[in-house]
Amino acid sequence: ALGLFTGIGLSEAKARETLRNGALSALLRRAVLQARSALGPTLDKATGTLLYNTAARLKDPKHLGFLVGYIARREILSDLQLSAALEYLRSHPLEPLDAADFERACGVGVCITPEQIEEAVEAVISKHRAELLAERYHFNMGLLMGEARNQLRWADGKTIKNEVDLQVLHLLGPKTEADLEKKPKVAKSRLAPAEKQKVAVVENGDIGTETQSLLEQLRGEALKFHKPGENYKTEGYVVTPNTMALLKQHLAITGGQVRTRFPPEPNGILHIGHAKAINFNFGYAKANGGVCFLRYDDTNPEKEEEKYFTAIREMVEWLGYQPYAVTHASDYFDQLYTWALELIRRGQAYVCHQKVEEIKGHNPPPSPWRDRPVEESLLLFEDMRKGKFGEGEATLRMKLVMEDGKMDPVAYRVKFTPHHRTGDKWCIYPTYDYTHCLCDSIEHITHSLCTKEFQARRSSYFWLCNALDVYCPVQWEYGRLNLLYTVVSKRKIIRLVETGAVRDWDDPRLFTLTALRRRGFPPEAINNFCARVGVTVAQATMEPHLLEACAREVLNEQAPRAMAVLEPLKVTITNFPAPKALEVLVPNFPADESRGFHKVPFHQTIYIEETDFREEADKGYKRLAPGQPVGLRHTGYVITVQNVIKDVSGRVMELEVTCTKSDVAEKPKAFIHWVSMPLACEVRLYERLFLHKNPEDPSEVPGGFLSDLNPDSLRVVHNALVDSSVRSARPFDKFQFERLGYFSVDPDSEEGKMVFNRTVTLKEDPGKA
């Protein structure tokens, strides 16, 4: 084999590399032997290259002999013709092929004369004559080549280049010294930071012409997405005699529209990984003028609750997406049952009595009931439907081997649990493997986007649609999005709730979407994060601080400013300039005062942060201390300490200060925030819930994730103070507390006692990993 491959012009290294690929080397061997039987034992290198490219690029090996025949007869002579031939075969998967149409598409028999090349190049040069004379040899000659090739598709590229060079030389003469000088580079205009950010943002889940970064970052397989109706061009797609008719019918129903779906199980709350799936499914459809269904995968009545249905839709809409339609797998239970009967009649499914324990794992024993008569399986399946079998006593299994080697996946199982939508109508329920592709088919989904762990189901996806002779969509897999320092498994979150480590699914220390909303993360920040992560085939595991950075960018633009004090220290201004409180105007957004102001009372008694005062000022300390005045933000006043009042233990309880107008006082080293006549509030400060990056990894956390809880993940400040401008705020309203961070009103807030969650600090904590 090595000699066979080096005999067609491959280097020894390339030949050995080819031999390591069993499928490729088998195809190439067949191709070379067929060509040698027609052309003799010696093949020139050009023919050898065409044979190698055919074996390497051909998707369907059944066409190998057909293509090699054209190469051996010298009817396909160039890689350009070969590319056209391969594209034709991808676009015409059904036999028999129309040979005349194939040859027209591949330029078979087309002869381009030197005169035709000369005339075409002459026409192109005439078109660009003025620019050529002006720019001379600095003109982009590739443009001339490209335009000439467009006119003469099957002409030899080298011949066209030689003719271009000849005619340019005739027009311009030999190169001068000026022609040999390098053309000065034009400096590329750099985007301003704001513009760069704009490109990377998916606002309100809306991907527009300027904000397509989620799609611009598609990598690998995702770049090969088929157009609606061209499903058959996808690698691995199974073409049957009815495929083209079914696709034609599909296009008639959809009008060529892209259709995707987001299919969550209603047995838990969505998390950050689901945000990526929502953005990808809804975003891909919207960017292509299509629609996206929200379809609940409600095939397991034991785990489904109404609260999950409601929460899932709320989160989809919170992220800025409106489903084209809200559907349920249970909408199609009647049709799915009818198809199950048809699958049995076609000999592709059977009733099995192996126990669940027996068929678990990768190498379970084959079912002794696999070959039972069709009539018997039909009767037994009807008995399953009527409740004559107990749970686990019988299943309906499909006759196929999946990509991961799993044999005969279950299609239906017995469950005596009422369904939240169909009640007691059914005691048999379909599985994911049976339901998902058929629901996609019913809804005429064009791109069934799912995470990488479902790749092993792709073969069964195609198999089942084709076994029933229904429209077959295409499944595409992409990598999951995970975050460090967290868990997202429903089972593990339930354990955290049960043990009291967190309050519920929306505890702000979790990374469920309801928790992120409660903590104050704007939906735009989550969408931007998903856009920046992009969609890749590889799994992405990200640091939480990247999500926090996205939150800061959005909140900086969205969250109006307010002042709050977490650890209050009373300050009395002994020379307050008015008999009653003054009103101070504070800009909602200091960088853009056109966005309005709010009023804050400024009284003789104010409160500052304890940490903003020291009895002794260290070197580098710029805030309030005896002999070191500070400015009060927004007031136009500077305060100076006159007296420090302490309790019996020596703790500072109050300061007495004097104030001076800032336009006459010496400029202070710092300005601090303050509150006066404030509202009492509770503030909840959050840190990471887990101490290690991978709390589920036994090598990192041998005691399990529950042993890795951070004891300081929540600190509650019960007696914080906030300025009265936030009095009318409602749950989920967001503010930047000056110098402290971004905060959101928690739903626990009551009349007279507001509760705030810290979303993120103003800057990333450099002490964090």
Side-chain angles (χ1 to χ4, degrees), residues 267-341:
N267 61 359
I269 296 295
L270 303 183
H271 55 71
I272 189 68
H274 291 112
K276 177 178 176 178
I278 292 168
N279 269 279
F280 194 16
N281 277 288
F282 282 89
Y284 183 74
K286 189 157 192 170
N288 289 280
V291 297
C292 183
F293 291 73
L294 168 59
R295 185 204 309 140
Y296 294 107
D297 178 23
D298 58 343
T299 55
N300 188 355
E302 293 173 336
K303 296 182 178 180
E304 292 152 9
E305 294 182 42
E306 187 58 40
K307 69 176 183 179
Y308 297 136
F309 287 84
T310 305
I312 286 168
R313 182 163 185 177
E314 272 183 13
M315 289 301 97
V316 168
E317 293 178 350
W318 177 64
L319 289 177
Y321 295 107
Q322 282 297 326
Y324 168 70
V326 178
T327 60
H328 306 74
S330 57
D331 295 339
Y332 311 120
F333 276 179
D334 288 323
Q335 177 63 72
L336 294 173
Y337 177 73
T338 301
W339 274 336
L341 294 174

Side-chain angles (χ1 to χ4, degrees), residues 749-766:
S749 297
E750 298 174 353
E751 188 70 36
K753 187 63 179 284
M754 299 184 80
V755 179
F756 289 91
N757 296 316
R758 184 173 67 190
T759 308
V760 286
T761 54
L762 290 178
K763 292 181 180 178
E764 184 188 340
D765 183 351

Side-chain angles (χ1 to χ4, degrees), residues 224-266:
K224 302 174 187 174
F225 278 7
H226 64 283
K227 293 177 183 175
E230 294 187 353
N231 305 26
Y232 55 86
K233 290 189 177 182
T234 305
E235 190 170 352
Y237 192 81
V238 180
V239 177
T240 71
N242 282 336
T243 294
M244 303 313 280
L246 289 166
L247 287 172
K248 188 176 179 181
Q249 183 185 50
H250 158 73
L251 287 174
I253 291 167
T254 66
Q257 184 183 53
V258 165
R259 289 189 172 198
T260 60
R261 81 290 165 272
F262 174 56
E265 293 178 76

Side-chain angles (χ1 to χ4, degrees), residues 441-457:
S441 178
I442 291 168
E443 293 176 353
H444 283 272
I445 301 304
T446 57
H447 299 78
S448 181
L449 309 174
C450 59
T451 47
K452 195 72 175 170
E453 65 263 35
F454 292 101
Q455 185 168 352
R457 265 85 169 239

